[in-house]
Amino acid sequence: MKLLPVTCALAALSFGSHAYAWDFVLLDSDKPASNLRITSEQLGLKVDKPFSVSMRTLHGGRQEGVSLIDIDNGTMKLTVVPTRGMNVLSAQVGSVRMGWDSPVKEVVNPAFIELNGRGGLGWLEGFNELVTRCGYEWVGHPGMDNGELLTLHGRAANIPASRVTVHIDETPPYAIHVRGELKEQAFKKVDFSVQTELVTEPGAAHFVLNDTLTNNGDYPKEYQALYHSNFSTPFLEEGARFAAPVKQVSPFNDKARADLGDWQTYRAPTPDYDETVYNVVPYGDAKGNTLTVLHNKAASLGVAVGFNVQQLPVFSLWKNTDTRGQGYVTGLEPGTSFSYNRRYQRPLNLVPTIGPKQQRQFRISYTLLTDEPAVSKALQQVKSIQDGRATEVRQTPLVDLSKE
Amino acid sequence: MKLLPVTCALAALSFGSHAYAWDFVLLDSDKPASNLRITSEQLGLKVDKPFSVSMRTLHGGRQEGVSLIDIDNGTMKLTVVPTRGMNVLSAQVGSVRMGWDSPVKEVVNPAFIELNGRGGLGWLEGFNELVTRCGYEWVGHPGMDNGELLTLHGRAANIPASRVTVHIDETPPYAIHVRGELKEQAFKKVDFSVQTELVTEPGAAHFVLNDTLTNNGDYPKEYQALYHSNFSTPFLEEGARFAAPVKQVSPFNDKARADLGDWQTYRAPTPDYDETVYNVVPYGDAKGNTLTVLHNKAASLGVAVGFNVQQLPVFSLWKNTDTRGQGYVTGLEPGTSFSYNRRYQRPLNLVPTIGPKQQRQFRISYTLLTDEPAVSKALQQVKSIQDGRATEVRQTPLVDLSKE
Amino acid sequence: MKLLPVTCALAALSFGSHAYAWDFVLLDSDKPASNLRITSEQLGLKVDKPFSVSMRTLHGGRQEGVSLIDIDNGTMKLTVVPTRGMNVLSAQVGSVRMGWDSPVKEVVNPAFIELNGRGGLGWLEGFNELVTRCGYEWVGHPGMDNGELLTLHGRAANIPASRVTVHIDETPPYAIHVRGELKEQAFKKVDFSVQTELVTEPGAAHFVLNDTLTNNGDYPKEYQALYHSNFSTPFLEEGARFAAPVKQVSPFNDKARADLGDWQTYRAPTPDYDETVYNVVPYGDAKGNTLTVLHNKAASLGVAVGFNVQQLPVFSLWKNTDTRGQGYVTGLEPGTSFSYNRRYQRPLNLVPTIGPKQQRQFRISYTLLTDEPAVSKALQQVKSIQDGRATEVRQTPLVDLSKE
């Protein structure tokens, strides 16, 4: 990768209301993606953990022309994919990687994917991220709804971002904000835009997604959102556990029903396991905030995914403990909805509506739990949010898929 | 936008039969799109209205890699989209804009559109132009015909142009010709090419499309063409009117039937109006030339769309007087055919055939009517073409869609 | 085409185990396609037939961004299309061209093709090569199988190659190897990679494809391969003949059945002929090697296509002797399978399985037979492989398509 010199990077600097406003445009209608690099040193910032944000472009195969943004906050290295819905490809602290190994090795340019292919499963040809945005017109399994084939998990992950910027706060801790806009527009059908934001702080083993969905249309419109957050080793292993403040849990289908008793623990990579999915209704605290935790068997390493149940009231736990080669991965998926086709979720009241010009905020935090005390503290938080409230373990799926 | 210096522009100059032949290649198989700019000044032309033709490329979002050609004829500024069928994005004279505000804000690269998505309505994800070419293998609503899903309005608008050139006439008025070829080819299916041309003259508030469809195949082939020409304010408003020499008018469907009495006048932006469509068979003059006019309530501003009924025998009036945010727009659409699915148009004799190596010409003129006398003169022309001949107002749609 | 100077080409040189290892990376994830040119002269090679390998990019239309590799081995000029499955566009020796004239004139970027369009025939919008790779998840006519629409002839031809390299042997005859990897991956569906290789020697009127399919997945998986090798004039003409050591031949369908008596001879371009296809089970020699020959009426010019029946046990002869304009072409198509939809080929045992981490090799050789002795010698080889063994001429198609 050839990097543009500092002067080029700074040429992208636009002056705001302050003497030094650190706003950089990485991509815009009149600005192609380039091999830009922004560093704390260039900005004259003396921070304990020097940071950098850089951009590069992939070539060859189905990843031709895909832009990547690499953020190194001094502790955590994150890669964001503007060409794929500002998805987070991976996050790494030292040798610990949040993310997974999909059979899909390329970061696939949506230009080469037919979402309508494979009976609506074309999305699977690009699925390999740590966080894959699902929505916002719909999420869930492919199938007909209102006479139209809804493709798996909607379009968001395959919408290239329109205007991508980096903002560095001018005051400590100098938080780094990477923003990109997704336009989900079709005449007479939908007029959504999603202002995505990833925020991380220099030195933190932590990042936040902070998205704003706007219905620019003049009519109320159904929407759905789901943040497909995917983890593998070293968190996922035999005996790894999932914890959350749970109001209700139910199996997604009959297969999951058979394993319901073990829904919170994980298997080793298991040939022919395929997947089981559990539908969770989490409890939140007084403000609606909740926390879900995945940790290894020894409870010495984990991740915490936090969100607000007023924004994202339900949660899918996707246990894809198949072989490593097929994808040994679990998905922690806060959403407005489960992963059923949209037509099944209306009766469950899981297809919300957004009014004209209204906005919806989705804030999800991702924290690496680097040691036993960190895991323990997070589990305490889960317990504290549960606060002794009952958990309903529902034996039967919410949707009877046998009638399909 | 960085512009190449004059020398580069002139390097594109190819010498014809004259001492100075002003022919520029903007795009070809061995010539990528570049930020070229050609001006009357560079050409040493002393014209009252200096003109320029320039090219630029859009980035980010679903418009990544889309080329635009901006033509400023000194009076009218036009933008043509080579990447999208040489469609005319907009035309502007001073503050008066021909075109409309679609919810689709990007100029979408066809690489990111699945025309077969949304049940064949994928076309709607890119629809926002002043003139969108529809055809040429078929036009009309999506649906099955001969065992194949025909997608909305065919492929033309989503075919990138192959060789794009600019020709400036060497004699006054130095007409500017922008040409691009569309190849609509599939082994065993279709072998069409369309030489598109946009012509405008320095200082004119007027342009012409002059397209030539060629069937390069060895067999006769069905074809359809429709020029989806879309206007909004300041022409479209409550009380705005449409005029044409009309032989027959009929409602497209039952909804349009209900409003048939007012088919020539327009509503203000109307929530939940959606659209009504009227099928018009226009009269032409002795040579087949006809003129259709849209003007504002005061008849002080309008547009005239002229064509020849031997080339384009029918016309659709699309009244999409929905809210501004949803798209407040009317389409004046000369065509070989109406907007029904092709299978419905064969019995109407609106699916013509083009023989092997034959050509069809489609010439459509667009004129801004800048004041009351101009509108009045155009309406006189309409009246003169009608020439007292009768108008059949057919109460029922030509196609019974209830059987669908 | 602007060519990079020698220094740039050599910059791509990576050092292997020898003092001079001639390995060039033309395209990789961090290396975009460029107008590179490698010549025997640059390498300091004194060969009778100086050779070159160069790369260029096409622009405009649906071929925007398509990379081509031109190989001139001193005798034969080959063009390979990395953006389209490393297909071989054409091979030419003097005025003799291996390949054909498809109505599809562009080398179409897969980004602009919907394989699922046209009822699964979208592939036809890009079909124009001398050798089009078909497979590897499936081949054959479109249709439903296991609840999924299989599109015509699979995805291989529309997968852009991921890492493209050129290797020149360091010892005479200095064979030229052009390699590119195709990744056919979808989570839960398929995890194939195909290392493609084209090999030719300086001065030879001959090239070889040598592909390795790997199932990277952990489960056995069905696969199919078919090398759609297409020839026209000067080989194909009225009275041209096809020869092969044939164990069994049968008509593909009822139309082919009617012409079964003449299955080895060709017609002149014939309006409305469309196509006939014959399913051939070839004999191989003791090692499984076999040879198929197409030659002109005078038997003075031909092509030989060789392969191994252990790798590719069956063969389709596609006789598309329609008019020149529609495509006057014959396909010699060694494969694991015929061209029926996959669901029809399972009962024929023509849908093989590849185990986890297993590989399959496909080696096909293409030789220009430049004169009567060369044709005669090749026909002798065919006879020698047949070795007097019987040919079953099966009157009825292997699959009863009337039940479809």
Side-chain angles (χ1 to χ4, degrees), chain A residues 1 57-64 100 102-106 111-112 114 116-119 121 124-125 127 270-275 318 320 322-327 329, chain C residues 27-33 109-117 137-138 147-149 155 158-162 183-191 216-219 357:
Chain A
M1 179 177 52
T57 301
L58 298 176
H59 298 283
R62 298 216 276 180
Q63 64 189 5
E64 181 63 45
W100 61 297
S102 170
V104 176
K105 297 306 178 201
E106 297 179 301
F112 295 113
E114 287 176 70
N116 290 276
R118 299 182 181 276
L121 291 173
L124 296 173
E125 296 187 16
F127 178 50
T270 306
D272 296 317
Y273 184 77
D274 196 1
E275 64 181 35
W318 174 54
N320 197 84
D322 207 304
T323 68
R324 287 184 203 284
Q326 297 296 117
V329 57
Chain C
L27 178 65
D28 204 349
S29 62
D30 59 355
K31 184 177 168 53
N109 193 325
F112 294 112
I113 293 183
E114 287 175 71
L115 295 177
N116 290 276
E137 207 176 344
W138 67 80
E148 186 184 334
L149 174 64
R155 297 162 186 279
N158 289 280
I159 299 177
S162 287
K183 293 182 179 171
E184 193 168 355
Q185 298 172 326
F187 180 62
K188 287 201 183 286
K189 292 286 178 177
V190 60
D191 189 1
N216 305 296
D218 283 342
Y219 300 133
K357 315 306 173 196

Side-chain angles (χ1 to χ4, degrees), chain A residues 163-205:
Chain A
R163 180 182 154 83
V164 180
T165 61
V166 175
H167 174 87
I168 315 286
D169 284 354
E170 292 139 57
T171 53
Y174 304 111
I176 303 159
H177 307 248
V178 175
R179 296 169 182 151
E181 192 189 14
L182 311 182
K183 293 182 179 171
E184 192 169 355
Q185 298 173 326
F187 180 62
K188 286 199 184 287
K189 292 285 177 178
V190 60
D191 189 0
F192 286 171
S193 59
V194 183
Q195 183 58 55
T196 74
E197 185 182 50
L198 180 148
V199 187
T200 189
E201 293 172 4

Side-chain angles (χ1 to χ4, degrees), chain A residues 7 15 29 63 87 101 124 146 150 156 181 184 235 257 285 300 319 353 366 368 379 402:
Chain A
T7 47
F15 292 89
S29 60
Q63 64 189 5
N87 288 340
D101 294 308
L124 296 173
N146 294 336
L150 303 188
E181 192 189 14
E184 192 169 355
F235 314 103
R257 184 180 183 167
D285 66 12
S300 61
K319 299 171 74 182
T353 293
Y366 298 85
L368 178 64
L379 292 174
S402 68

Side-chain angles (χ1 to χ4, degrees), chain A residues 26 37-38 50-56 68-82 86-88 90-93 164-168 174-179 197-204 206-209:
Chain A
L26 300 192
R37 187 172 160 85
I38 302 158
F51 62 84
S52 65
V53 179
S54 53
M55 194 177 209
R56 57 189 162 119
L68 298 183
I69 298 173
D70 297 307
I71 305 158
D72 182 349
N73 74 10
T75 292
M76 183 178 262
K77 293 177 205 291
L78 296 131
T79 299
V80 171
V81 193
M86 297 295 287
N87 288 340
V88 185
S90 65
Q92 183 132 1
V93 174
V164 180
T165 61
V166 175
H167 174 87
I168 315 286
Y174 304 111
I176 303 159
H177 307 248
V178 175
R179 296 169 182 151
E197 185 182 50
L198 180 148
V199 187
T200 189
E201 293 172 4
H206 174 81
F207 68 95
V208 168
L209 299 184

Side-chain angles (χ1 to χ4, degrees), chain B residues 378-391:
Chain B
L379 292 175
Q380 271 305 321
Q381 273 184 272
V382 168
K383 202 173 173 185
S384 151
I385 298 168
Q386 181 89 35
D387 199 21
R389 289 178 283 184
T391 295

